[in-house]
Amino acid sequence: MRLRCAVLDDYQRVATEVADWSPVADAVDVVVHDTHYPDEDTLAAALADADIVVTLRERVPFPGSLIARLPRLRLIVASGMRNSVIDYAAAEAHGVTVCGTASSSTPPVELTWALLLGLARGIVPEAGGLRAGGPWQQTVGADLHGRRLGLLGLGRIGGRVAQVGLAFGMRVSAWSQNLTRERTDEVGVELAPSKEELLRTADFVSVHLALGERTRGLLGPAELALLKPTAYLVNTSRAAIVDQEALLTTLHEGRIAGAGVDVFDTEPLPADHPMRTAPRLLATPHLGYVSRANYATYYGQAVEAIRAHLAGAPVRRLPVPATPGPASAPA
């Protein structure tokens, strides 16, 4: 009997174009899902006949309750090598193998700078005004050279964002709870003495932390109040790191110059969500990892994982996280 593979959230319908699925074509039928299923009932119905599921990042949670409703499911392939929204214990109990793929840090680095530069130079209002016959020059751009870039997190992505900032001639400082001077010296940036000092002194703040119990709500009302009125905040990491209501209030009250956001508390963002109309906000629909090269890796290695599964020798099995079980919200 042929197997059915469901590819979730392929909004652009490119999964079967950017990778060669012919190695599994003799045994697997690939079904592309280009819409998001908003709740477990509709998702369970859509996946009722799926033997294999390919899912992007942490967009779709797979709690034990969902896995139990999918008796045919035997393999989940998630892009990336870490996923906090899959219940690994439930997967193991129901005979479901969970595998991952490689993922490049380049696309989120590039998108971070697209947002930061777009904010600094008023690209969206200026381009929109030009096309609509509006005023010639509406904004005065913020300079990068000589200004301070504060990074919350200096891992793979944060470190590369720092290097670009240095190339622009920015003064770069970084902070996280476990950040060491050895790491900041390695990257060539300053170690901020505290989170509060970084927020008080930075002209641009960019978030590059993993979401966990220590980082959830890390930037709340008190922290956002520390930012300069001329400062910009960029978050391409996880929405829950920044208190969303506090951010909306800060933007509406004009207490910072602007924010660039690629991640949201609910995705896809509902049509009436206040983030869609917030002032001083440059927002993109979670494009951080969305690039042709990254998709080619995700789906190409998904095919490899399916072939290995068919051969009884799974590859790139995801390690169970320190705190197993699904997170409360997808990323």
Side-chain angles (χ1 to χ4, degrees):
M1 183 177 69
R2 294 179 62 80
L3 303 180
R4 289 178 68 84
C5 171
V7 178
L8 293 178
D9 289 346
D10 183 15
Y11 301 132
Q12 304 95 339
R13 298 191 68 86
V14 296
T16 57
E17 298 176 11
V18 298
D20 179 11
W21 291 75
S22 63
V24 298
D26 289 344
V28 178
D29 293 320
V30 178
V31 180
V32 170
H33 296 257
D34 60 0
T35 57
H36 183 74
Y37 299 106
D39 55 63
E40 185 175 305
D41 287 342
T42 56
L43 182 58
L47 300 181
D49 60 355
D51 304 281
I52 301 164
V53 171
V54 176
T55 182
L56 281 175
R57 306 301 294 142
E58 296 173 328
R59 183 176 288 166
V60 179
F62 277 83
S65 56
L66 173 61
I67 293 172
R69 297 170 69 175
L70 305 175
R72 287 184 52 168
L73 184 63
R74 288 296 175 265
L75 174 67
I76 298 173
V77 184
S79 59
M81 288 301 296
R82 179 175 61 190
N83 194 300
S84 64
V85 299
I86 296 173
D87 189 328
Y88 292 87
E92 183 177 12
H94 288 84
V96 179
T97 301
V98 183
C99 298
T101 74
S103 182
S104 172
S105 61
T106 298
V109 171
E110 293 174 351
L111 185 74
T112 295
W113 280 102
L115 289 173
L116 194 152
L117 288 167
L119 287 166
R121 299 307 296 268
I123 297 299
V124 172
E126 294 290 2
L130 186 147
R131 293 178 66 88
W136 186 261
Q137 298 184 355
Q138 307 175 57
T139 62
V140 177
D143 296 281
L144 271 60
H145 185 86
R147 299 302 189 268
R148 181 170 294 279
L149 171 63
L151 300 176
L152 293 170
L154 198 64
R156 275 196 318 156
I157 295 173
R160 296 183 67 179
V161 170
Q163 292 170 347
V164 177
L166 293 170
F168 273 117
M170 303 182 80
R171 295 174 295 154
V172 183
S173 57
W175 177 90
S176 70
Q177 289 161 324
N178 296 320
L179 187 60
T180 65
R181 188 169 297 281
E182 180 182 18
R183 172 59 178 164
T184 55
D185 287 348
E186 176 188 353
V187 179
V189 304
E190 301 172 30
L191 175 62
S194 67
K195 174 183 65 176
E196 291 74 17
E197 183 65 15
L198 181 143
L199 295 172
R200 274 193 292 264
T201 58
D203 299 291
F204 300 85
V205 174
S206 191
V207 180
H208 302 288
L209 295 165
L211 178 61
E213 289 309 308
R214 294 197 302 170
T215 59
R216 187 179 297 276
L218 187 73
L219 298 187
E223 289 77 18
L224 294 176
L226 297 174
L227 292 169
K228 300 177 182 180
T230 55
Y232 296 89
L233 173 67
V234 176
N235 186 10
T236 57
S237 183
R238 292 293 183 266
I241 296 173
V242 181
D243 184 308
Q244 299 296 283
E245 290 300 322
L247 177 58
L248 282 167
T249 298
T250 298
L251 292 170
H252 278 282
E253 294 180 355
R255 289 193 272 113
I256 60 174
V261 173
D262 186 49
V263 287
F264 305 92
D265 53 1
T266 302
E267 297 183 8
L269 206 60
D272 60 350
H273 196 287
M275 280 289 185
R276 287 187 179 268
T277 54
R280 302 175 182 84
L281 179 66
L282 176 56
T284 48
H286 206 155
L287 299 177
Y289 59 88
V290 180
S291 76
R292 184 160 292 273
N294 231 13
Y295 271 23
T297 298
Y298 290 167
Y299 294 119
Q301 292 195 2
V303 174
E304 293 176 4
I306 294 168
R307 288 187 69 188
H309 170 75
L310 295 175
V315 294
R316 294 184 296 274
R317 297 188 72 159
L318 289 186
V320 177
T323 304
S328 59

